[in-house]
Amino acid sequence: MEEKPGYCTLCRSRCGTINVVEADSLIAVRPDPSHPTGQAMCMKGKAAPELVHSPHRLMYPMRRTRPKTEADPGWVRISWDEALSETAARLSTIRRESGAEAVVFAVTTPSGTSLSDSIDWVERFVRVFGSPNICYATEICNWHKDVAHEFTFGCGMPVADYANADLILLWGHNPTNTWLAQSHAIGRGRAAGARLMVVDPRPTALATQAQSWLRVRPGTDAALALGLIRLLIEGDAFDLAFIRDWTNAPLLVRSDNGRLLRLRDVQPDAPADPWMVWNSHLGAAAPYDVARPAASQGGEHFALRGEYAVATIRCMPTRTDKVPNTSPTAASSGADLNGAAVKAAWEGGTNSGGSNVAQPGETSAHGSGSYSAFLRDPDGHDIEITVSQD
Ligand code: SF4
């Protein structure tokens, strides 16, 4: 009997494992605590010997010898060389006769299958073949996590640095059930002092342990997100230098037509037509060459809120224009709590302090322009967060 270190490939967690092999057979798998992701394994990983030695496991290429209309496909085992040659020949013929787009590749999820270590090669093959058509089976959480971040930042979302975090925010994320290695990393971060905030309607294990648990009604996350964004913006609790340098937040927007103000709007004969910002130090609008760092153009003085008159044109920075019009009020008592529960929960998560749990109430829509999410604060007050897109 031999014990071989390795890792489980049955999902993206890739838990470190000790694999017990006897007479060339895998007979047991257990966690390898010396591996960075080997502190725990799920039942699927532990069942690997049953999968590997299952009599139903597909081990070799098979060719169908009867029509698809027949109950018995008449599978016949063929060699790998035959399978590869036939497949390559068929694909080449279709590409030559009809173009690469005529082929749609169907791919299963790498997140929950043993494809996790091969998916990059499969995708590379599809790209090299030339077809843009992939029929992709994946989890509902996957596209925004990977693709939205790829569009925004140029790469998929990496795993968080939980070990060095001050605040761990899990939004609809339950790694205790879905990603054991990440769950363990969160435990390490919390042991190092990180506070935990969970947004989830379900009492997950991590939600019940969190300093702040915002128990949203399913489907109302956007209202909560906009409310939190508003708290961040109103408190300037974000990286102002980054916003000035890397976003269009300081660019002035014309109040009369909603377009970005350009130099020729106020100086028609100007040789160039850059966008404009408001320089608070100069007390005047100034051109902004976005090809150069904001810091070299007085970026620390670029206004991010306010309303200004440039010649006869009233303008405000783009960022002001984008502040969510989210007005938290107390729905049941009628008292204006100014988003107290959400704010308290947020601050409970971001500062040291006691626990805050906001419970779900009702959700309503007010036509296409606005909608509400209701939370309940620890004192039983319902807090309505109304999001208006006006
Ligand atoms: S979570 Fe389970 S299936 Fe995924 S890698 Fe770990 S043991 Fe394997």
Side-chain angles (χ1 to χ4, degrees):
M1 190 156 52
E2 236 184 315
E3 295 200 340
K4 299 191 176 189
Y7 66 95
C8 176
T9 61
L10 292 175
C11 83
R12 282 220 194 259
S13 184
R14 298 185 173 97
C15 300
T17 57
I18 298 291
N19 303 282
V20 184
V21 177
E22 186 172 16
D24 212 23
S25 291
L26 181 67
I27 60 169
V29 184
R30 66 170 194 270
D32 178 0
S34 69
H35 189 284
T37 60
Q39 282 68 30
M41 288 182 68
C42 75
M43 291 314 294
K44 185 166 78 171
K46 287 180 180 168
E50 291 174 50
L51 298 174
V52 169
H53 301 298
S54 166
H56 304 299
R57 183 178 167 203
L58 189 59
M59 302 279 285
Y60 311 100
M62 309 287 277
R63 180 191 289 125
R64 174 188 282 273
T65 57
R66 299 209 180 106
K68 289 187 177 176
T69 48
E70 289 202 15
D72 179 3
W75 295 119
V76 173
R77 180 176 165 182
I78 59 174
S79 71
W80 284 102
D81 282 347
E82 281 178 286
L84 288 169
S85 302
E86 280 188 27
T87 307
R90 293 278 294 276
L91 286 173
S92 299
T93 302
I94 295 171
R95 183 166 62 177
R96 189 174 59 253
E97 292 177 348
S98 311
E101 297 84 356
V103 178
V104 178
F105 292 86
V107 185
T108 190
T109 172
S111 298
T113 73
S114 52
L115 202 67
S116 59
D117 269 7
S118 343
I119 187 65
D120 294 331
W121 302 107
V122 172
E123 290 182 342
R124 178 176 288 196
F125 166 65
V126 173
R127 283 194 289 273
V128 169
F129 181 81
S131 174
N133 301 316
I134 300 184
C135 181
Y136 216 115
T138 189
E139 298 71 28
I140 198 166
C141 65
N142 193 215
W143 283 114
H144 65 269
K145 181 177 82 64
D146 289 345
V147 183
H149 285 78
E150 202 159 339
F151 287 156
T152 310
F153 305 120
C155 66
M157 186 165 63
V159 292
D161 185 7
Y162 294 118
N164 296 301
D166 295 323
L167 169 69
I168 296 171
L169 171 55
L170 304 177
W171 196 307
H173 185 35
N174 183 24
T176 310
N177 281 27
T178 59
W179 199 337
L180 287 180
Q182 291 302 294
S183 181
H184 183 76
I186 288 168
R188 283 208 309 271
R190 294 180 66 202
R195 298 179 65 77
L196 179 64
M197 182 172 192
V198 174
V199 179
D200 204 312
R202 301 163 303 166
T204 64
L206 288 168
T208 54
Q209 298 165 21
Q211 275 80 29
S212 291
W213 174 23
L214 289 174
R215 200 176 177 190
V216 290
R217 176 74 63 191
T220 62
D221 299 56
L224 178 61
L226 289 171
L228 294 178
I229 289 170
R230 183 177 177 126
L231 287 177
L232 291 173
I233 290 175
E234 286 181 345
D236 279 345
F238 56 89
D239 188 340
L240 285 163
F242 178 89
I243 293 293
R244 288 189 170 101
D245 241 338
W246 289 98
T247 77
N248 64 1
L251 301 184
L252 290 174
V253 180
R254 299 175 57 138
S255 298
D256 56 353
N257 61 12
R259 302 178 71 88
L260 292 174
L261 182 73
R262 309 202 73 137
L263 181 57
R264 285 181 185 153
D265 291 342
V266 288
Q267 293 179 27
D269 298 331
D273 197 21
W275 286 304
M276 303 289 284
V277 294
W278 186 264
N279 186 314
S280 302
H281 182 64
L282 301 175
Y288 175 24
D289 178 0
V290 294
R292 292 190 295 124
S296 68
Q297 303 172 68
E300 70 273 26
H301 301 300
F302 289 177
L304 292 176
R305 55 164 61 109
E307 191 171 5
Y308 307 95
V310 184
T312 58
I313 305 170
R314 298 209 69 78
C315 304
M316 58 179 64
T318 307
R319 173 211 160 178
T320 311
D321 202 33
K322 297 295 183 194
V323 173
N325 185 11
T326 312
S327 61
T329 57
S332 60
S333 66
D336 183 2
L337 294 184
N338 200 20
V342 176
K343 198 168 177 184
W346 179 248
E347 288 171 352
T350 51
N351 304 321
S352 58
S355 296
N356 289 282
V357 178
Q359 303 283 345
E362 300 296 329
T363 304
S364 65
H366 309 296
S368 59
S370 65
Y371 58 96
S372 300
F374 288 82
L375 302 167
R376 190 164 300 143
D377 73 10
D379 298 326
H381 296 117
D382 281 342
I383 310 299
E384 179 184 3
I385 300 177
T386 304
V387 179
S388 164
Q389 294 167 358
D390 297 338

